């Protein structure tokens, strides 16, 4: 059985971390399984959105502490690089990704959620970067991606105190987009995926990419990127269909061309 299950529900793929006995702790094998699932999704032109969740009572309780116990500094650096490689691949997937955080999202689990385009949280979710309790620091992007979501001072408070926060506080600081009853979480995340799937896939992919790339550059460069991309989508059949359908008062049928 795979450590990361992948299933398709229409055009939305659901990935589930499936190591519930260890609260979905991210060991090398789980990271490699996740990488494989991500690579499959990247090749699958029928998938339009991805929802990522965890089996059992955790989303992921972090990097696997037992596996880290005997690591030498070079091994730890390689482990961090592996996590970055996998989370980086998730971040640049052409289709939008939604983390449905069902429980603990601690350490590497919080970093994994932050590698998705946005996060929906169950009322039971708890977020945190508790690495300093172990005498270590975040290693899968927590010193950078978290700060982008919540601002550097809030990220410093989470990383430097190690204190977890409940879902409602995660909502207040902008870490998550919505807090939902546990039994509605997955359905709401899948429904957001279906909404995305009903749009033109090229426009979705280009909008995601421009927003992502635009974060890292001077605003003038971001504006220029947007202008070019805006021109680019006008070369697609989908924009003719979308605009014509609006003017003809009917639903568009996008083909991804
Ligand atoms: N690594 C390995 N195993 C873990 C784990 C982790 N991060 N988190 C939980 N587990 C295991 C526990 O060892 C336990 O296993 P056994 O049943 O075999 O003893 C099982 O999952 C259930 O956990 P608990 O009994 O501890 O459950 P709890 O409800 O009492 O506590 C918890 C839940 C508060 C999340 C607690 O498990 C916990 O504090 N976990 C560690 C959280 C953490 O420190 N995460 C950061 C890891 S470092 C990191 O992520 C670095 C990085 O950025 C790359």
């Amino acid at each position: 059985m795979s450590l990361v299950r992948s299933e398709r529900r229409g055009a939305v793929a659901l990935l589930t971390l499936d190591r519930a006995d260890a609260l979905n702790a991210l060991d090398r094998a789980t990271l490699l399984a996740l990488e494989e699932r991500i690579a499959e999704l990247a090749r699958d032109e029928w998938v339009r959105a991805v929802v990522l969740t965890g089996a059992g009572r955790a989303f992921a309780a972090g990097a696997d502490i037992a596996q880290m116990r005997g690591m030498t500094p070079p091994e730890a650096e390689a482990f961090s690089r592996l996590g970055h490689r996998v989370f980086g691949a998730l971040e640049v997937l052409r289709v939008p990704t939604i983390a449905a955080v069902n429980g603990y999202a601690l350490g590497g689990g919080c970093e994994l959620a932050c590698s998705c385009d946005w996060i929906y949280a169950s009322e039971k979710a708890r977020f945190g970067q508790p690495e300093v309790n172990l005498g270590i620091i975040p290693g899968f992007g927590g010193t950078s991606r978290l700060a982008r979501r919540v601002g550097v001072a809030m990220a410093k408070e989470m990383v430097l105190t190690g204190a977890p926060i409940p879902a409602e506080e995660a909502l207040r600081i902008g870490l998550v987009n919505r807090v939902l009853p546990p039994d509605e979480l997955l359905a709401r995340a899948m429904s957001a995926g279906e909404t995305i799937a009903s749009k033109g896939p090229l426009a979705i992919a280009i909008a995601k990419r421009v927003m992502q790339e635009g974060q890292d550059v001077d605003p003038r460069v971001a504006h220029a990127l947007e202008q070019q991309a805006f021109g680019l989508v006008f070369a697609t059949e989908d924009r003719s269909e979308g605009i014509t359908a609006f003017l003809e008062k009917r639903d568009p049928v996008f083909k991804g061309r």
Side-chain angles (χ1 to χ4, degrees), residues 81-207:
R81 250 189 274 120
L82 170 64
H84 273 273
R85 188 175 85 205
V86 178
F87 291 11
L90 179 64
E91 190 172 52
V92 301
L93 263 183
R94 129 194 130 271
V95 297
T97 54
I98 303 167
V101 174
N102 48 305
Y104 294 110
L106 301 176
C110 188
E111 294 167 307
L112 177 58
C114 286
S115 305
C116 292
D117 289 309
W118 71 78
I119 303 171
Y120 287 168
S122 147
E123 289 161 351
K124 288 186 182 165
R126 286 179 84 73
F127 295 81
Q129 297 289 159
E131 288 87 349
V132 291
N133 296 330
L134 304 167
I136 65 172
I137 69 165
F140 296 162
T143 59
S144 53
R145 286 196 185 96
L146 181 64
R148 288 192 186 194
R149 290 210 179 206
V150 303
V152 76
M154 194 58 83
K156 279 182 177 164
E157 185 173 340
M158 288 177 72
V159 169
L160 303 181
T161 68
I165 58 170
E168 278 305 330
E169 193 172 345
L171 179 68
R172 191 179 58 74
I173 65 174
L175 176 55
V176 312
N177 284 14
R178 281 174 210 279
V179 177
L180 297 157
D183 57 348
E184 286 177 26
L185 174 69
L186 205 54
R188 288 291 293 276
M190 294 303 284
S191 158
E194 282 153 22
T195 300
I196 292 164
S198 71
K199 317 297 178 195
L202 295 173
I204 293 288
I206 291 171

Side-chain angles (χ1 to χ4, degrees), residues 21-23 25 57 61-65 68 106-108 111 130-131 138-140:
D21 288 352
L23 301 186
R57 62 193 175 97
D64 190 296
I65 298 170
M68 287 190 296
L106 301 176
E111 294 167 307
E131 288 87 349
F140 296 162

